[in-house]
Amino acid sequence: MGESAIVTPAPSGRWPRTVVARETARRGVRSAVLWGVIFGVYVTESATGYEGAYKTSGQRHALAQTLGSDVGISAIIGPASHLDTVAGFVAWRTLGVLTVVGAVWGLLAATRLLRGEEDAGRWELLLAGRTTRRGGAAQALTGLAGCALVLWAITAVIAVAVGRSSSVHIDGRSALFLAVADVSGAAVFLAVGALTSQLAPTRRQAASYAGGVLGVAYALRMVADSGAGLAWLRWASPLGWVEELHPLTAPRPVALVPIVGLIAILTVLTVQLAGGRDLGASTIPDRSRPPTRTMLLSGPTGLTVRLVRPVVIGWVVAIALAGLMLGLIAKAAGRALTGSTAMRKLVSDFGAHGAGATTYLGVAFLMVALLLALIAAGQVGAARGEEAEGKLDHLLVRPVSRTSWLAGRLSVATGALVIAGAVAGVTGWLGAASQDSGIGLTNMVAAGLNLVPPAVLILGVGTLAFGIRPRAASGACYAVLAWSFLVELIGGIVNASHWLLDTSVFHQMAAAPAVAPDWTTNAVLVALGVAAAAIGGIVFRFRDLAGA
Amino acid sequence: MAEPAIHTSGLSKRYADVDALSDLDLDVHQGEVVGYLGPNGSGKTTTLRLLLGLIRPTSGSAEIFGLDCQRRPVEAHRRLAYVAGEANLWPSLTGSETLHLLGRVQGQVDAAYRGELIARFDLDPSKKVRTYSKGNRQKLILIAALMARPDLLLLDEPTSGLDPLMEQAFRHSVHEAKERGQTVFLSSHILSEVEALCDRVGILRNGRLVDMGTLSDMRHLSALTVEATFDGSVPDLSRVPGVSSVEVEGRVVRCQVQGTVEPLLKVLASSGVHELLSREPSLEELFLAHYGRSTDPGTGSLEVPALGG
């Protein structure tokens, strides 16, 4: 027991000067390994999928012609060149998706490992050791670099292995450079997240600042790749620089210069700002004495609204912009769909038919469905966070039942999803209407609301996990989400079996507005979500509250 | 007689292969102030979380004012307020917003008393919780609990992080609660705090309630501390019946006496004792009697090796 506890130096005490770096790397490496594997699988799947689906040079040529000239595809994923070769296809498809996925991973990882650890008070313990604030930040950045290296190494090993296969034929050196290009978005946004961790007063704020930077970078890249004669804008966005690397097709290592340069500048700024501020404080001032606002604070559900409001507003703004953008390019992109067998296949895989702006939006709204599902996953994580951090205790030791607290949280989350879906529809309509695309407002709002049921299902699955394995609740949501999205991407390009496609929460969703929403199926999705949430709620009622 | 404020029978909690709490039978009567002492990890917080229905017992049951803690938690919670040892509150809310929220959720607030408490604990409620020190956050949840004037206060090491001045304010508030007939259950490892406030004390060790009684009940368990100063040579007291833990410092001998002091007095009287001090053991010493020794249970003596003599 306590009286016999003798403090023995931990083995890590051998290098006390690098404890922060090692601790940061240790906390981040698991997700780096996981995402390295996902990156590798995605590269593999792109190569083998292409080999399987487009066997003859005629097919490859047709693919290159249709996708290569498609402005919408180019804007969303990036310009598609050399699609008649496996190398060109792999480079285009992995870069377009992994850069953004990696950037999101990077900014979340950096803000979690820097600002999150600081918020939790663990930094204080580390900095009490033999290091300074500045040194601690430099060490943490080293730890993040370690995570990026792990991500790259795993991606590279798999890419090299795939390249060796006789049908793919990508030499080792090119595969290594492909891996560099695929993870450079992650590397840049690790650094961005580290910097915003110094600027913002909380982890969540830091992540949303970094998310804002990513949004702007993506929008700039998108405009540059929209064929509007603004290609030079690519140099204004880090995501554009990544594109300029042209791995496998026409490698341009010189584009690494701005990438590395930006990371270096962000690193120096991070260390400087960390040294110049108090621990726990932010560079951007946090109003410590705001006016008292008690309007919402009359019960647990009002509190939930108050707590999630900033995050939900951020998401809704992002979704509004995404809807607007997709609406704006829908007409031009839809035109490119006409006469393309490959694109028609892609479209029909999503249940849509024909061509034109509605067809394009039907496919493109899958992206928005993903954003809604991310809101749902985030809400499950937030509910679990209240429990893990002990904040929920303050409510549950008072006359508040667990069921009413959870039901309140789920209602708020569902409300946020409905608002987000409707907003996507309205802004999508605004964008499309400005181009005279001839899509009705009602159809677009219905298409927006059509995105809600899969997100409700995610919310339900997350709540089930929250009841049964609270510590795995967030992970379960993101796992289902990542899996579903990967399945959709795979299914969209290659012939995938139906049992595989059916494991995606998005697959039952009708591709509205290309086709009318299937409200019966939607009702089934919602019912499944509600049932899962109800079981989760009952289990939660009878289990122990669990700390972090 | 009214139902007890707290009643548990055979209350147990087992985590994997650790018995966090074993077979707790506890009764706290209305209007009592009961201390709950034990070192870290002895099961104090587990007991409180079971009473609050935040975790479920492996076996046994617990009631608050006759209401089952697991089956009717909401009704039980209407009559109590709880202060945790760690005040993890919502960082984006200000102090007054937090008090407003917790008051509304509780359903009852003595607004005048709230103002008095804010002044007493010297808290600036206009600041965001994020900017509060640990002590200030602790004050905030103390005020939130006290301002409801509940029938039962469950306090889990409530003064952690408070400075001595604020500890005084806390003690004052507990006295006030007692005068109003409120029941207080105070878990603590600060002995002086329990000694100053509590009618009865329970001592918890390794998940078991090893003793429960009034302070005077507990004292018989331990020895009387005797300090004697001699004129000349110091006699060997270690063989005197009932005497243990003999320490010699020059001409001063300190020892513990269990049971009657007569044999010791006889030896002292014949050895030229110049000065004699004896006192009741403090709760510190009671506590050490339970935790500070490794063998020899039941004698309550301190196993301090005699330094010569």
Side-chain angles (χ1 to χ4, degrees):
Chain A
M1 279 311 297
E3 72 264 32
S4 63
I6 295 163
V7 179
T8 47
S12 62
R14 278 160 64 202
W15 300 287
R17 283 170 197 285
T18 59
V19 63
V20 180
R22 280 177 295 122
E23 185 63 15
T24 306
R26 190 184 67 76
R27 284 181 178 274
V29 79
R30 201 167 62 165
S31 91
V33 169
L34 175 73
W35 284 99
V37 171
I38 293 175
F39 276 32
V41 167
Y42 189 68
V43 170
T44 311
E45 183 273 320
S46 297
T48 56
Y50 182 86
E51 283 296 323
Y54 308 102
K55 288 194 170 62
T56 68
S57 63
Q59 284 173 317
R60 294 182 176 189
H61 207 68
L63 178 79
Q65 287 229 307
T66 49
L67 283 186
S69 60
D70 187 321
V71 172
I73 291 284
S74 166
I76 292 174
I77 304 184
S81 57
H82 305 280
L83 289 193
D84 49 350
T85 64
V86 62
F89 183 80
V90 169
W92 167 70
R93 189 147 172 277
T94 62
L95 216 55
V97 174
L98 297 184
T99 305
V100 177
V101 172
V104 173
W105 171 79
L107 70 90
L108 289 178
T111 50
R112 175 171 63 89
L113 296 172
L114 293 184
R115 195 73 219 188
E117 290 295 289
E118 189 171 336
D119 285 354
R122 283 187 285 267
W123 261 93
E124 213 166 304
L125 299 176
L126 295 176
L127 292 193
R130 275 188 243 169
T131 186
T132 57
R133 289 191 309 276
R134 195 179 296 249
Q139 282 195 44
L141 285 163
T142 314
L144 290 182
C147 294
L149 205 62
V150 168
L151 180 72
W152 172 79
I154 295 176
T155 311
V157 166
I158 300 176
V160 169
V162 172
R164 278 167 167 270
S165 98
S166 59
S167 58
V168 177
H169 271 318
I170 294 171
D171 68 90
R173 189 185 269 221
S174 301
L176 290 179
F177 188 65
L178 172 74
V180 169
D182 281 344
V183 304
S184 47
V188 168
F189 279 86
L190 277 170
V192 170
L195 180 69
T196 60
S197 291
Q198 313 307 317
L199 298 175
T202 62
R203 182 192 63 80
R204 202 174 269 192
Q205 284 260 302
S208 56
Y209 289 163
V213 173
L214 176 59
V216 171
Y218 186 77
L220 285 173
R221 208 268 307 137
M222 204 164 192
V223 173
D225 291 336
S226 294
L230 296 167
W232 57 269
L233 262 179
R234 209 173 287 154
W235 290 101
S237 165
L239 302 182
W241 305 337
V242 175
E243 245 165 38
E244 291 293 334
L245 290 170
H246 293 300
L248 304 187
T249 52
R252 275 176 82 184
V254 69
L256 280 174
V257 172
I259 293 172
V260 173
L262 178 66
I263 292 174
I265 291 168
L266 292 172
T267 303
V268 169
L269 277 175
T270 300
V271 173
Q272 288 297 331
L273 289 174
R277 70 183 172 91
D278 291 344
L279 193 65
S282 56
T283 309
I284 294 171
D286 184 26
R287 270 198 310 170
S288 74
R289 283 173 208 270
T292 305
R293 287 166 300 150
T294 54
M295 198 179 71
L296 289 168
L297 300 178
S298 53
T301 306
L303 172 69
T304 300
V305 173
R306 166 93 184 250
L307 293 177
V308 307
R309 196 172 46 187
V311 175
V312 169
I313 288 175
W315 275 111
V316 169
V317 168
I319 284 169
L321 290 175
L324 186 67
M325 202 177 62
L326 294 173
L328 279 170
I329 61 174
K331 195 176 176 186
R335 204 178 297 131
L337 294 177
T338 321
S340 150
T341 46
M343 280 311 288
R344 234 183 263 137
K345 178 198 167 304
L346 193 149
V347 166
S348 67
D349 272 349
F350 287 108
H353 303 284
T358 51
T359 310
Y360 173 76
L361 282 172
V363 177
F365 259 34
L366 176 67
M367 286 284 179
V368 187
L370 176 71
L371 296 182
L372 257 74
L374 281 170
I375 298 183
Q379 289 303 305
V380 172
R384 167 60 194 152
E386 290 285 285
E387 182 194 6
E389 289 156 24
K391 293 170 188 157
L392 176 57
D393 289 7
H394 297 292
L395 298 175
L396 294 188
V397 301
R398 295 186 160 80
V400 171
S401 75
R402 295 189 189 192
T403 313
S404 69
W405 170 78
L406 186 63
R409 279 215 82 109
L410 293 176
S411 317
V412 171
T414 310
L417 293 175
V418 171
I419 292 171
V423 163
V426 170
T427 58
W429 173 78
L430 280 174
S434 72
Q435 306 292 310
D436 298 319
S437 303
I439 306 175
L441 175 62
T442 339
N443 283 346
M444 279 308 290
V445 172
L449 293 176
N450 183 52
L451 308 175
V452 176
V456 169
L457 183 55
I458 294 267
L459 194 61
V461 170
T463 308
L464 181 64
F466 172 72
I468 296 169
R469 289 286 299 275
R471 291 185 180 91
S474 229
C477 287
Y478 290 110
V480 170
L481 231 163
W483 172 255
S484 299
F485 198 63
L486 271 181
V487 165
E488 290 302 318
L489 288 174
I490 295 166
I493 309 272
V494 304
N495 288 311
S497 74
H498 253 278
W499 68 262
L500 179 70
L501 290 172
D502 283 341
T503 61
S504 160
V505 293
F506 301 115
H507 196 68
Q508 303 305 328
M509 185 182 79
V515 294
D518 179 351
W519 296 115
T520 316
T521 306
N522 284 346
V524 172
L525 287 179
V526 171
L528 281 173
V530 170
I535 296 170
I538 290 167
V539 177
F540 170 59
R541 222 180 119 195
F542 294 108
R543 73 162 165 83
D544 290 356
L545 287 195
Chain B
M1 173 98 195
E3 74 261 327
I6 299 174
H7 170 75
T8 73
S9 64
L11 192 65
S12 306
K13 181 69 184 178
R14 195 176 167 79
Y15 289 108
D17 54 351
V18 183
D19 282 313
L21 189 68
S22 309
D23 225 10
L24 176 72
D25 294 312
L26 181 74
D27 274 293
V28 174
H29 306 296
Q30 294 195 22
E32 261 192 313
V33 178
V34 170
Y36 201 50
L37 274 173
N40 294 330
S42 58
K44 300 189 299 291
T45 301
T46 301
T47 307
L48 284 163
R49 290 177 77 77
L50 284 166
L51 289 174
L52 289 159
L54 295 179
I55 54 175
R56 312 196 76 80
T58 312
S59 60
S61 66
E63 288 174 2
I64 301 275
F65 296 112
L67 298 161
D68 189 284
C69 297
Q70 298 298 325
R71 264 170 263 150
R72 299 167 73 185
V74 172
E75 286 154 281
H77 294 176
R78 270 189 234 290
R79 300 193 60 183
L80 65 83
Y82 166 68
V83 176
E86 287 228 351
N88 295 318
L89 291 155
W90 300 276
S92 59
L93 266 52
T94 65
S96 33
E97 285 169 346
T98 306
L99 289 177
H100 176 90
L101 170 77
L102 295 180
R104 290 295 288 271
V105 172
Q106 185 82 52
Q108 58 183 50
V109 177
D110 182 336
Y113 190 45
R114 177 180 60 195
E116 200 181 319
L117 288 167
I118 290 172
R120 180 183 301 167
F121 284 101
D122 194 23
L123 181 77
D124 177 357
S126 67
K127 286 167 110 180
K128 271 194 187 178
V129 167
R130 183 182 300 133
T131 65
Y132 281 148
S133 65
K134 176 170 163 48
N136 276 331
R137 290 203 304 272
Q138 197 64 32
K139 288 178 194 175
L140 195 58
I141 58 167
L142 261 173
I143 294 169
L146 292 166
M147 73 184 186
R149 300 257 200 214
D151 296 331
L152 171 63
L153 278 163
L154 294 176
L155 311 174
D156 190 7
E157 305 196 355
T159 53
S160 53
L162 294 190
D163 59 42
L165 211 61
M166 289 305 132
E167 259 185 67
Q168 282 305 316
F170 166 71
R171 289 183 188 189
H172 179 51
S173 308
V174 172
H175 281 303
E176 253 176 14
K178 188 186 168 156
E179 274 161 32
R180 291 175 58 96
Q182 290 167 259
T183 311
V184 180
F185 189 68
L186 170 65
S187 125
S188 180
H189 61 244
I190 302 169
L191 308 170
S192 56
E193 183 175 275
V194 171
E195 201 168 19
L197 293 170
C198 299
D199 306 321
R200 282 202 299 152
V201 185
I203 293 185
L204 201 62
R205 184 182 191 184
N206 290 349
R208 288 188 178 276
L209 188 66
V210 289
D211 256 309
M212 180 90 205
T214 62
L215 289 180
S216 49
D217 283 346
M218 305 292 267
R219 287 212 167 86
H220 80 276
L221 294 169
S222 187
L224 194 66
T225 303
V226 173
E227 194 178 296
T229 312
F230 293 91
D231 283 331
S233 66
V234 174
D236 179 12
L237 299 180
S238 60
R239 293 205 183 85
V240 180
V243 170
S244 61
S245 306
V246 182
E247 285 176 67
V248 181
E249 253 182 66
R251 291 188 294 133
V252 180
V253 179
R254 210 171 290 112
C255 64
Q256 308 279 322
V257 190
Q258 184 77 28
T260 174
V261 292
E262 208 184 334
L264 176 67
L265 282 179
K266 277 185 182 157
V267 176
L268 291 179
S270 61
S271 312
V273 65
H274 169 71
E275 204 177 289
L276 186 65
L277 286 171
S278 76
R279 57 182 169 81
E280 281 185 310
S282 68
L283 205 46
E284 269 342 294
E285 284 160 325
L286 280 182
F287 201 78
L288 281 172
H290 283 284
Y291 301 114
R293 67 192 146 72
S294 50
T295 54
D296 197 16
T299 65
S301 62
L302 294 165
E303 285 290 293
V304 179
L307 304 168

